[in-house]
Each structure stands twice: as structure tokens, then as C-alpha cells.
Amino acid sequence: MSAVVVVGNGIAAHRLVDRLHHHGHQGTVTVLGAEPVAAYNRVLLPSVLDGTLPARALALPAPPDGTVVRLGTRVTGIDRERRLVHASDGTSHPYDHLVLATGARPRIPAVPGLLTDAGRLADGVTPLRTLADSRRVTGGQVTVVGAGVLGVETALALRRGGTRVTLVHPRPYPMNRQLDAAAGALLARGLRDRGIRLELSRQAVAYAPGSLTLDRGQAIGTDTVMVCAGVRPDTRLARAAGLAVRTGVVVDAALTTDDPHVHAIGDCAEEGGTVPGLATTAWHHADRLAAILCGDRTRPATCAPVTRLKAPGLDIAAYGPPGPADEVEETVTLQDPARGGYARLELRDQRLLGAVLVGYPQAIAALGTLGDQGLPVPSDRLAFLLGIPAGRGGPVELPDDAVVCHCNNVTKRTLADSWRGGARDAAALAAATRATTGCGSCA
């Protein structure tokens, strides 16, 4: 019997609790969440902006019976010597294993006017990290600062909802951390085609209510400024507790800090010197740690970070960082700019090292499966990218715990159980499990 205390109530914590139950964890599980609402999928916040989903649709399933979840409870300190977590409601929680799933905080650029003298967000300025943030967006003209994945998804969602949108980014093309120049140019074209005004290679230099000023003196009229300029791991608790912190909370291959009773997962964790900050990484962390805490020390296969743009009509994905030049044995490139298509695969031993794809949805879905399973990419690369059946060999068989719908964390087992329960077509499966109701790319 062991007591597990989880600090944080986001997607990483939710998945961990579910997997602990799956592995038959013997002991108590307590979750301390600072937000006053039950766990929800913040990955889908842009869908609230465009009205595709009501806020209540983001709610994640209730935790397993016996889980204690304390909402609106902020952790005030960790006593590592006595193994106690102290909370803002005056309670203290003993633990055998403490899991930090504190996530990340929005990064606010040092632009005069975005913050007040007291360090608070100015009127008309908001990030997009919580449901409360989504309710702060007002007016018919919004400027999004930052064209990373969240910035692009946010701009597209606002535009779908009828808002006039300007997207400001200091780099020559959007999503520059995930895409190369060719893919970035196609994405930029897709954004302009959808009515989004792009200000690329431009910096915001000043803000006053109703106006954002860019370098070279250009002023943009705006009702709301949405800051999507990245995040930084929330390491405040770990630092105060004396744990090792660099960019994130430093963990080893078992997701354990320099205290053997304290672990970290998700956006706050730094493993191998990196903090991917991806939902897929958070789920992998939760799966691995749950197995470890329940006695399974088998090291699971590593999975390349996967970034998928959650935007209807724009099929864009990046797998892993670009491979080191001395490890890449084969590079496959396919360009079809007239139809908005582009693909670049980096392979070693016929297996995927990294990839960027625009406009090839079937290949995007297949590469995710091949990468997770460590399987070779079919030898007919062109047919594979175009989604043409090879004529031999069956589909890749997924394990029951494989996540099929990442937006709603729906596994193959959940889909199979729903099918056996009578949901025999795509619409019925979507109604039963919410698969396909996020970005729709798993359809």
C-alpha cells in the first residue's frame, strides 16, 4: 500500500490517475488542483473560442472511484523530510510518492504596456492557458502575438468565429520551431487564404488599450491582445522544496527527481535536457510513471515528439526534431505547391527519425503509428505519402492502450468497447467517446 499525491489537475495528472487504476495501484491517490473546476482538456481551448465546443465539453471523464480530488486547492509547501504536502485550505497530505504535474505558465514578452506596474496583465491582454482566459477575449478585432502552434490554432479559431484577426510573429514564417521554410510558407498561405492578416518578421514594441504598436512605428487597432508567445515550466514548488531545476524539474529515465520519493511529469518536467511541452509527451510520461509506481520497471519504447496542428482543413504535422545530419541515411521530399502539399521524411534503417508533412492526412496518421511502434516506412515512399494502398501487408496493429484521438485521450480499447456496446459507425463512436470532436484529424 502506498499513498500517491499529485499536484496539478491537468491532462498529465488525469492520465496518471487513470493508469494507476489500470495497473491495480494499491493505496490512496489524492489530486490537488489549483483551478476551481474539474479536470479538462486545455488542448481544446481554441475550440471554445470559435464556438465549436461549449466549455463543458472540455471536461475529462471523472477519475476512478476512490480518488480524492480537491479543487481550488493551491499547494503552499512541500516538507520532504516528513513527506507532507501543505495546502492553502489548511490541510496536509502525507505521501509515499509525490508527483509534480504543475504544468507551465504563459511567457509574457517584455513589451511595455502588456503588464501593469503591479505585474498584472493589462486590460485587454490575455494568454490562452485556462478556461478563464478564453472568457477574457472581447471585441471584433483581436491581435495574436506569437505564431507557434497555439498562436496559429488560436488565430484560426477566432477567424472561424467571425473575428478579424492579426497574427504577429518575429520569424519569417509561422511554427518555425516545427516546420521548415517550405512548409512554413504553405502554412502562411493557408492562413492568409482564411482571412488572417499576417505581420511576419515583426516585433511588438508597445501596448496601450485599443492599440498594439509594432517595430517601424506601425500601430494596429485591437480590442484584445492574445499573448501566445510560449510557456515556461512551472517550477516554483520544486525550487522552493530544494529539488534540482534547470529549465524544468530535472528527472531521470524513471521520471524521478533527485529525491527518490518525488517525481515530475508533463510540461514541468525536464528529461534528458529537454522540455517538449507537448500533450503527447505528457501522456507518455503519465503512462510510464504509472507503470513504474505499480512495479513495472520495463523501459517503454521512446516515441518521437509529435506536433499536430488542430485546425479543420489544415493537415499539418511534425514528428520529432530534425535528425542529426550524421544519423540521417535517407531524406524523402515531395512538393506539390499548387495543391498545398509538402512532405519531408528523414529515415535511418527505413525507420522514421523526423518528418514534416502538409496536406497529406493519411500519411500523417500512418506515420504516427509507425513511429510509436518503431516499424519501417513502406518502401514505396510516394504511394505511402499519397495514401495509395500498397497492395500487400495488413494494417499496423495498435495495442489496446494506444491513444487514437489525442484531443480527447480516447484509446483503441475505448473505441472497441463502444463498438461492442452498439456504436457501429463513425457518428455513433464520436457520440459515445468524443473521438473526432476535437481537431478531427483522427477521423
Side-chain angles (χ1 to χ4, degrees):
M1 299 285 286
S2 66
V4 176
V5 175
V6 184
V7 180
N9 195 26
I11 58 174
H14 183 271
R15 176 75 171 175
L16 174 69
V17 171
D18 175 77
R19 302 314 294 163
L20 286 171
H21 177 74
H22 167 79
H23 288 292
H25 170 71
Q26 298 296 311
T28 61
V29 178
T30 301
V31 179
L32 306 175
E35 288 189 69
V37 296
Y40 61 92
N41 191 350
R42 71 179 74 252
V43 172
L44 295 179
L45 283 171
S47 296
V48 176
L49 293 180
D50 69 4
T52 303
L53 295 175
R56 64 178 181 277
L58 273 61
L60 292 167
D65 290 344
T67 306
V68 176
V69 179
R70 302 179 74 93
L71 302 177
T73 303
R74 184 173 55 86
V75 173
T76 57
I78 299 169
D79 184 339
R80 289 167 52 197
E81 185 175 348
R82 299 170 61 196
R83 295 189 205 164
L84 287 174
V85 176
H86 303 295
S88 57
D89 59 2
T91 58
S92 295
H93 305 271
Y95 66 85
D96 296 299
H97 293 280
L98 172 63
V99 182
L100 301 178
T102 50
R105 294 183 290 158
R107 187 184 300 276
I108 307 299
V111 175
L114 291 182
L115 296 176
T116 66
D117 292 341
R120 300 180 184 278
L121 290 169
D123 290 341
V125 178
T126 184
L128 185 62
R129 191 69 185 172
T130 67
L131 278 170
D133 292 336
S134 68
R135 294 190 283 268
R136 297 190 182 99
V137 183
T138 59
Q141 174 68 52
V142 174
T143 301
V144 179
V145 176
V149 178
L150 179 61
V152 169
E153 291 177 354
T154 298
L156 286 165
L158 290 165
R159 190 72 196 102
R160 288 193 299 272
T163 301
R164 298 187 304 278
V165 181
T166 300
L167 183 58
V168 179
H169 192 55
R171 303 298 181 187
Y173 55 88
M175 288 179 59
N176 55 280
R177 291 183 62 187
Q178 294 81 23
L179 306 181
D180 57 21
L186 287 176
L187 173 56
R189 187 177 82 183
L191 294 173
R192 291 190 179 99
D193 289 346
R194 287 159 176 78
I196 295 172
R197 173 184 171 186
L198 295 184
E199 295 289 348
L200 300 174
S201 298
R202 304 297 300 276
Q203 297 271 4
V205 297
Y207 169 75
S211 178
L212 183 72
T213 302
L214 306 185
D215 50 2
R216 300 197 289 273
Q218 178 184 2
I220 299 174
T222 187
D223 298 304
T224 301
V225 170
M226 298 199 70
V227 180
C228 299
V231 297
R232 53 182 177 178
D234 192 343
T235 60
R236 291 171 292 181
L237 272 178
R239 285 186 184 277
L243 297 167
V245 173
R246 289 195 289 261
T247 302
V249 183
V250 178
V251 296
D252 61 16
L255 299 163
T256 303
T257 68
D258 50 343
D259 181 331
H261 298 280
V262 182
H263 314 267
I265 60 174
D267 288 354
C268 71
E270 178 179 338
E271 180 187 7
T274 63
V275 185
L278 298 170
T280 49
T281 303
W283 285 317
H284 285 307
H285 280 179
D287 290 354
R288 284 165 50 195
L289 183 58
I292 289 168
L293 294 182
C294 293
D296 183 357
R297 291 277 166 176
T298 303
R299 179 72 187 272
T302 57
C303 299
V306 179
T307 303
R308 295 190 67 165
L309 186 69
K310 290 170 284 298
L314 281 173
D315 298 302
I316 297 177
Y319 295 83
D326 59 346
E327 294 185 12
V328 177
E329 295 178 348
E330 178 185 1
T331 300
V332 180
T333 304
L334 174 62
Q335 292 182 283
D336 187 2
R339 295 180 176 83
Y342 173 79
R344 191 192 78 243
L345 308 182
E346 294 180 341
L347 308 174
R348 182 182 64 211
D349 296 330
Q350 309 296 316
R351 286 165 173 79
L352 186 68
L353 280 179
V356 172
L357 296 102
V358 180
Y360 297 107
Q362 289 174 291
I364 288 173
L367 277 179
T369 301
L370 294 176
D372 283 347
Q373 300 297 310
L375 296 172
V377 175
S379 57
D380 191 337
R381 315 283 197 238
L382 180 60
F384 171 76
L385 290 171
L386 296 177
I388 299 171
R392 58 186 177 84
V396 176
E397 183 66 20
L398 294 174
D400 286 346
D401 294 336
V403 177
V404 177
C405 173
H406 286 286
C407 290
N408 293 294
N409 201 23
V410 180
T411 63
K412 173 189 171 182
R413 178 184 288 109
T414 301
L415 288 166
D417 289 346
S418 298
W419 186 87
R420 285 190 287 268
R424 295 303 176 91
D425 57 29
L429 285 167
T433 67
R434 297 198 302 186
T436 77
T437 62
C439 68
S441 59
C442 67

